[in-house]
Amino acid sequence: MRIVILGGDGYCGWATALYLSSKGHSIAIVDNFSRRLWDFELGVQTLTPIRPLPERLSVWQQLTGRSMTSYVGDVCDFEFLRSMITSFQPEAVVHFAEQRSAPYSMIDQKRAVFTQVNNVVGTLNLLFAIHELAPDCHIVKLGTMGEYGTPNIDIEEGFLAIEHNGRRDTLPFPKQPGSFYHLSKVHDSHNIMFACKVWGLRATDLNQGVVYGTITDEVQMDEALINRFDYDDVFGTVLNRFCAQAAIGTPLTVYGKGGQTRGFLDIRDTVRCIELVCLNPADRGEFRVFNQFTEQFSVLDLAKLIQMVAREMDLKVEIDHLPDPRVEAETHYYNAKHSKLSDLGLEPHLLSDSLVNSLIEVAVRYRNRIDPAMFAPQVNWRAGKNERRTVSSMQPALSIVEEP
Ligand code: NAD
Ligand code: USQ
């Protein structure tokens, strides 16, 4: 298939592009490198030293003989997007190209507005461009499990059958997102559903849980193909942060009671899910929603698991409970359905199989790059305006592209 990966220089996008390329698909990567810029802006960097995209692509070509096309530009630039689609003629577009950090979106007014404009306008542009230029193309959009929040009922896959005043209907599942970022995904979902209805587009909204892991078959072929491992307070996800903390013997930063429960999946399952969805497209006019995660854990479950496994590796690990900087339920009911991807053939990897080699060992290998100042949360949901430190108040931190 001819598949465009919007956001292909990022964490999920890079692993997906390599995987789909290895399967023989013709791949185009689109990215404007904004994520590398936001890292620089905040003075943070991935634990793993990722290479510039041209170097990544050239190493991939040398190793496999497979080339990928790259288009450098902003999906919010409609003319850029139109010309890319005209030139590549995709059968599927996988849309990862958004600002994906909840804390980033909660720093202040500027970052909240930026997040929603970047995400909502990029997706709207994609809908208009596909409608005009490639109406049969399947849109595979990355949403998030966080769109649903934590209701006190089971979470269905996208839609809920309800009876109200004696009448029945099946309606979009109620959304209770917990950040301006998560809200941007809800807005996207509504726009995509509407475009499928009025223009007959085909789309799959993947409500993905928290992705973990660095190692995929393709990424581990060469150090130059290494993927991101974010552990800072803004872009670092909880498992990565706990593993980086364990690697240098800093207490694990559980926010509040730690009963916050989320869906998780291995990056190897992310790439496989995308493949399954591309190979089994939605029908014309169909808006599908799949919940894309494989296991659910509470934050405290994860901390205890890492403490146990890390101790077996002779790492000293304590658990701290910090005041929760977010506004979220610290204990709650959570039971989210996730059978549609298994029905298509997904065979999940379990955290217990990858915690050591894809997370803790990677954190230990690069532990001399860990900056413990990145562990304290600096973005408070309640503040509205956070004085988080930025690169202008720090030493230069641009070693991302310079280190071997
Ligand atoms: P990432 O930040 O590593 O990658 C996103 C990429 O998109 C970056 O390379 C960035 O430069 C690019 N990008 C952003 N805005 C762009 C624009 N306007 N034009 C062109 N390129 C742009 O993020 P990720 O972790 O790979 O997440 C990818 C997608 O998956 C996001 O939409 C995110 O919301 C979703 N998701 C991620 C996770 C996770 O745990 N990482 C979980 C659920 C959903
Ligand atoms: N948490 C801690 N300690 C930490 C960091 C986080 O207890 O040091 C807690 C948070 O308070 C939260 C939970 O861990 O309750 C998850 O936080 P996270 O930062 O790992 O994940 P989140 O903000 O939800 O966002 C991540 C990705 C986002 C994606 C989302 C999927 O950054 O792009 O959409 O996971 S989901 O959580 O299903 O919405």
Side-chain angles (χ1 to χ4, degrees), residues 276-379:
L276 286 169
V277 168
C278 288
L279 294 176
N280 299 277
D283 292 333
R284 286 295 297 264
E286 186 185 15
F287 171 70
R288 299 187 302 192
V289 182
F290 295 169
N291 291 347
Q292 181 168 313
F293 71 97
T294 58
E295 295 176 278
Q296 65 179 57
F297 300 97
S298 77
V299 167
L300 191 57
D301 288 340
L302 291 176
K304 287 179 175 164
L305 178 67
I306 289 166
Q307 186 176 48
M308 187 182 73
V309 173
R311 280 183 176 162
E312 285 165 12
M313 299 167 72
D314 286 333
L315 298 166
K316 204 178 92 197
V317 178
E318 302 300 331
I319 296 177
D320 258 4
H321 286 265
L322 308 183
D324 195 337
R326 306 187 183 196
V327 176
E328 59 186 353
E330 293 177 22
T331 52
H332 56 87
Y333 178 77
Y334 198 76
N335 183 33
K337 305 284 174 62
H338 57 110
S339 59
K340 290 188 183 173
L341 284 158
S342 307
D343 293 346
L344 287 181
L346 177 68
E347 289 171 18
H349 295 84
L350 300 182
L351 177 60
S352 50
D353 297 329
S354 44
L355 181 57
V356 173
N357 85 318
S358 201
L359 283 156
I360 302 179
E361 282 181 0
V362 175
V364 169
R365 193 176 324 142
Y366 295 101
R367 72 175 144 200
N368 63 345
R369 288 168 55 90
I370 295 175
D371 177 356
M374 296 298 143
F375 290 142
Q378 297 180 58
V379 180

Side-chain angles (χ1 to χ4, degrees), residues 201-263:
L201 302 189
R202 50 174 100 229
T204 307
D205 202 0
L206 295 171
N207 282 341
Q208 187 171 233
V210 188
V211 187
Y212 60 80
T214 313
I215 308 295
T216 60
D217 287 346
E218 300 75 35
V219 157
Q220 69 180 354
M221 286 170 71
D222 194 286
E223 176 75 13
L225 300 178
I226 199 161
N227 205 348
R228 293 185 149 276
F229 187 117
D230 300 303
Y231 71 95
D232 62 89
D233 62 304
V234 171
F235 286 103
T237 45
V238 63
L239 254 167
N240 286 15
R241 283 169 59 73
F242 287 176
C243 291
Q245 289 158 356
I248 61 163
T250 304
L252 310 189
T253 53
V254 171
Y255 296 163
K257 295 191 181 81
Q260 302 93 311
T261 302
R262 303 287 183 268

